[in-house]
Amino acid sequence: MWANENRRLQYKIFGDVVTCETTYRTNLYNMPFGLFVGVNNHFQSIIFAGVLVVDETEESFMWAFSEFLRMMVGVAPRTVLIDQNKAMELALNSIMPNTAHRWCKWPVLKKAKKTLGPLYSKKSDFSLEFHKVGNSMLTVDEFEEGWRMLLEKDKLQTHPYMTRLFEAGRSGRSHISKGRPVIKAR
């Protein structure tokens, strides 16, 4: 893992929300490469730190998050955006228990497109309703009613991916917000 003094200064100023993503073995060393990224006051992405890990296990992520905190003098971000990586979720719960972590919307939608196939196309009613439920519902009751209607209309009550998304929400871990929407993972 590495970060320099300039990256630590940037983190001190802009480190409230951090995205942590790994690319899967796309580098010369065939190892997952991770970046801790934020956004500055000009809406530009800024890299706080980079890390090569042996694998994407809970233990590797625990080490990576611990090292990140050490490099950032023990100051945890308020929110970490992640994909739907369970090992990363568990490591964050352990290392940064007071930090909210949320699922980035982009991987959620990418996986929805992959798992739902033609049902989730740009021109489908399902896609429009799915986005409406995710982006426009203001209360828990509105969300749950919209979700129920969405599943009933397309007979998706037992679809594994849709069930997982809903269960994340039922356990208090789900949230899609406006702007750069995310689904909360905690």
Side-chain angles (χ1 to χ4, degrees), residues 119-131:
L119 183 61
Y120 185 86
S121 68
K122 289 183 181 180
K123 297 179 184 177
S124 77
D125 288 339
F126 174 83
S127 178
L128 295 172
E129 289 298 314
F130 185 78
H131 286 269

PDB file of all heavy atoms in Angstrom, residues 119-131:
ATOM      1  N   LEU A 119     -35.320  -8.335 -19.495  1.00  0.00           N
ATOM      2  CA  LEU A 119     -36.271  -7.606 -18.662  1.00  0.00           C
ATOM      3  C   LEU A 119     -35.719  -6.228 -18.292  1.00  0.00           C
ATOM      4  O   LEU A 119     -36.454  -5.259 -18.205  1.00  0.00           O
ATOM      5  CB  LEU A 119     -36.577  -8.422 -17.398  1.00  0.00           C
ATOM      6  CG  LEU A 119     -37.603  -7.835 -16.448  1.00  0.00           C
ATOM      7  CD1 LEU A 119     -38.964  -7.683 -17.129  1.00  0.00           C
ATOM      8  CD2 LEU A 119     -37.733  -8.725 -15.223  1.00  0.00           C
ATOM      9  N   TYR A 120     -34.395  -6.156 -18.098  1.00  0.00           N
ATOM     10  CA  TYR A 120     -33.760  -4.896 -17.721  1.00  0.00           C
ATOM     11  C   TYR A 120     -33.052  -4.301 -18.944  1.00  0.00           C
ATOM     12  O   TYR A 120     -31.846  -4.311 -19.047  1.00  0.00           O
ATOM     13  CB  TYR A 120     -32.762  -5.129 -16.578  1.00  0.00           C
ATOM     14  CG  TYR A 120     -32.157  -3.850 -16.058  1.00  0.00           C
ATOM     15  CD1 TYR A 120     -32.800  -3.119 -15.074  1.00  0.00           C
ATOM     16  CD2 TYR A 120     -30.965  -3.367 -16.552  1.00  0.00           C
ATOM     17  CE1 TYR A 120     -32.264  -1.944 -14.597  1.00  0.00           C
ATOM     18  CE2 TYR A 120     -30.415  -2.191 -16.077  1.00  0.00           C
ATOM     19  CZ  TYR A 120     -31.063  -1.484 -15.110  1.00  0.00           C
ATOM     20  OH  TYR A 120     -30.525  -0.315 -14.641  1.00  0.00           O
ATOM     21  N   SER A 121     -33.832  -3.818 -19.861  1.00  0.00           N
ATOM     22  CA  SER A 121     -33.253  -3.149 -21.021  1.00  0.00           C
ATOM     23  C   SER A 121     -33.618  -1.671 -20.945  1.00  0.00           C
ATOM     24  O   SER A 121     -34.504  -1.269 -20.188  1.00  0.00           O
ATOM     25  CB  SER A 121     -33.767  -3.757 -22.325  1.00  0.00           C
ATOM     26  OG  SER A 121     -35.143  -3.468 -22.485  1.00  0.00           O
ATOM     27  N   LYS A 122     -32.944  -0.858 -21.740  1.00  0.00           N
ATOM     28  CA  LYS A 122     -33.160   0.591 -21.689  1.00  0.00           C
ATOM     29  C   LYS A 122     -34.599   0.976 -22.015  1.00  0.00           C
ATOM     30  O   LYS A 122     -35.093   1.989 -21.554  1.00  0.00           O
ATOM     31  CB  LYS A 122     -32.199   1.296 -22.646  1.00  0.00           C
ATOM     32  CG  LYS A 122     -30.777   1.269 -22.179  1.00  0.00           C
ATOM     33  CD  LYS A 122     -29.874   2.022 -23.111  1.00  0.00           C
ATOM     34  CE  LYS A 122     -28.435   1.958 -22.624  1.00  0.00           C
ATOM     35  NZ  LYS A 122     -27.526   2.679 -23.482  1.00  0.00           N
ATOM     36  N   LYS A 123     -35.274   0.181 -22.814  1.00  0.00           N
ATOM     37  CA  LYS A 123     -36.623   0.532 -23.255  1.00  0.00           C
ATOM     38  C   LYS A 123     -37.722  -0.158 -22.463  1.00  0.00           C
ATOM     39  O   LYS A 123     -38.898   0.043 -22.726  1.00  0.00           O
ATOM     40  CB  LYS A 123     -36.770   0.199 -24.740  1.00  0.00           C
ATOM     41  CG  LYS A 123     -35.839   0.998 -25.615  1.00  0.00           C
ATOM     42  CD  LYS A 123     -35.985   0.627 -27.058  1.00  0.00           C
ATOM     43  CE  LYS A 123     -34.966   1.394 -27.890  1.00  0.00           C
ATOM     44  NZ  LYS A 123     -35.008   1.024 -29.286  1.00  0.00           N
ATOM     45  N   SER A 124     -37.373  -0.968 -21.489  1.00  0.00           N
ATOM     46  CA  SER A 124     -38.391  -1.731 -20.773  1.00  0.00           C
ATOM     47  C   SER A 124     -39.067  -0.900 -19.693  1.00  0.00           C
ATOM     48  O   SER A 124     -38.469  -0.007 -19.094  1.00  0.00           O
ATOM     49  CB  SER A 124     -37.778  -2.986 -20.152  1.00  0.00           C
ATOM     50  OG  SER A 124     -37.053  -2.657 -18.988  1.00  0.00           O
ATOM     51  N   ASP A 125     -40.326  -1.233 -19.452  1.00  0.00           N
ATOM     52  CA  ASP A 125     -41.052  -0.602 -18.348  1.00  0.00           C
ATOM     53  C   ASP A 125     -40.413  -0.977 -17.016  1.00  0.00           C
ATOM     54  O   ASP A 125     -40.374  -0.170 -16.096  1.00  0.00           O
ATOM     55  CB  ASP A 125     -42.521  -1.040 -18.356  1.00  0.00           C
ATOM     56  CG  ASP A 125     -43.303  -0.423 -19.500  1.00  0.00           C
ATOM     57  OD1 ASP A 125     -42.864   0.608 -20.041  1.00  0.00           O
ATOM     58  OD2 ASP A 125     -44.358  -0.990 -19.863  1.00  0.00           O
ATOM     59  N   PHE A 126     -39.924  -2.217 -16.910  1.00  0.00           N
ATOM     60  CA  PHE A 126     -39.299  -2.665 -15.670  1.00  0.00           C
ATOM     61  C   PHE A 126     -38.125  -1.766 -15.297  1.00  0.00           C
ATOM     62  O   PHE A 126     -37.993  -1.342 -14.156  1.00  0.00           O
ATOM     63  CB  PHE A 126     -38.817  -4.110 -15.773  1.00  0.00           C
ATOM     64  CG  PHE A 126     -38.034  -4.539 -14.564  1.00  0.00           C
ATOM     65  CD1 PHE A 126     -38.688  -4.975 -13.432  1.00  0.00           C
ATOM     66  CD2 PHE A 126     -36.647  -4.467 -14.556  1.00  0.00           C
ATOM     67  CE1 PHE A 126     -37.978  -5.344 -12.302  1.00  0.00           C
ATOM     68  CE2 PHE A 126     -35.926  -4.826 -13.422  1.00  0.00           C
ATOM     69  CZ  PHE A 126     -36.600  -5.270 -12.294  1.00  0.00           C
ATOM     70  N   SER A 127     -37.269  -1.482 -16.264  1.00  0.00           N
ATOM     71  CA  SER A 127     -36.098  -0.649 -16.013  1.00  0.00           C
ATOM     72  C   SER A 127     -36.500   0.727 -15.483  1.00  0.00           C
ATOM     73  O   SER A 127     -35.928   1.227 -14.517  1.00  0.00           O
ATOM     74  CB  SER A 127     -35.277  -0.510 -17.295  1.00  0.00           C
ATOM     75  OG  SER A 127     -34.167   0.320 -17.087  1.00  0.00           O
ATOM     76  N   LEU A 128     -37.515   1.315 -16.116  1.00  0.00           N
ATOM     77  CA  LEU A 128     -37.991   2.636 -15.673  1.00  0.00           C
ATOM     78  C   LEU A 128     -38.554   2.566 -14.252  1.00  0.00           C
ATOM     79  O   LEU A 128     -38.265   3.427 -13.420  1.00  0.00           O
ATOM     80  CB  LEU A 128     -39.051   3.163 -16.639  1.00  0.00           C
ATOM     81  CG  LEU A 128     -38.576   3.463 -18.058  1.00  0.00           C
ATOM     82  CD1 LEU A 128     -39.755   3.790 -18.968  1.00  0.00           C
ATOM     83  CD2 LEU A 128     -37.579   4.610 -18.050  1.00  0.00           C
ATOM     84  N   GLU A 129     -39.344   1.530 -13.971  1.00  0.00           N
ATOM     85  CA  GLU A 129     -39.924   1.368 -12.636  1.00  0.00           C
ATOM     86  C   GLU A 129     -38.847   1.071 -11.588  1.00  0.00           C
ATOM     87  O   GLU A 129     -38.906   1.576 -10.462  1.00  0.00           O
ATOM     88  CB  GLU A 129     -40.986   0.259 -12.637  1.00  0.00           C
ATOM     89  CG  GLU A 129     -42.255   0.639 -13.364  1.00  0.00           C
ATOM     90  CD  GLU A 129     -42.958   1.825 -12.711  1.00  0.00           C
ATOM     91  OE1 GLU A 129     -43.097   1.848 -11.476  1.00  0.00           O
ATOM     92  OE2 GLU A 129     -43.360   2.740 -13.452  1.00  0.00           O
ATOM     93  N   PHE A 130     -37.877   0.251 -11.952  1.00  0.00           N
ATOM     94  CA  PHE A 130     -36.770  -0.080 -11.052  1.00  0.00           C
ATOM     95  C   PHE A 130     -36.033   1.194 -10.635  1.00  0.00           C
ATOM     96  O   PHE A 130     -35.770   1.421  -9.454  1.00  0.00           O
ATOM     97  CB  PHE A 130     -35.824  -1.060 -11.753  1.00  0.00           C
ATOM     98  CG  PHE A 130     -34.698  -1.568 -10.899  1.00  0.00           C
ATOM     99  CD1 PHE A 130     -34.913  -2.552  -9.961  1.00  0.00           C
ATOM    100  CD2 PHE A 130     -33.409  -1.069 -11.058  1.00  0.00           C
ATOM    101  CE1 PHE A 130     -33.867  -3.043  -9.184  1.00  0.00           C
ATOM    102  CE2 PHE A 130     -32.359  -1.551 -10.284  1.00  0.00           C
ATOM    103  CZ  PHE A 130     -32.601  -2.537  -9.344  1.00  0.00           C
ATOM    104  N   HIS A 131     -35.726   2.048 -11.596  1.00  0.00           N
ATOM    105  CA  HIS A 131     -35.043   3.310 -11.302  1.00  0.00           C
ATOM    106  C   HIS A 131     -35.933   4.242 -10.488  1.00  0.00           C
ATOM    107  O   HIS A 131     -35.454   4.943  -9.589  1.00  0.00           O
ATOM    108  CB  HIS A 131     -34.571   3.982 -12.591  1.00  0.00           C
ATOM    109  CG  HIS A 131     -33.389   3.309 -13.195  1.00  0.00           C
ATOM    110  ND1 HIS A 131     -32.102   3.676 -12.902  1.00  0.00           N
ATOM    111  CD2 HIS A 131     -33.301   2.265 -14.056  1.00  0.00           C
ATOM    112  CE1 HIS A 131     -31.265   2.900 -13.561  1.00  0.00           C
ATOM    113  NE2 HIS A 131     -31.971   2.036 -14.266  1.00  0.00           N
TER     114      HIS A 131
END
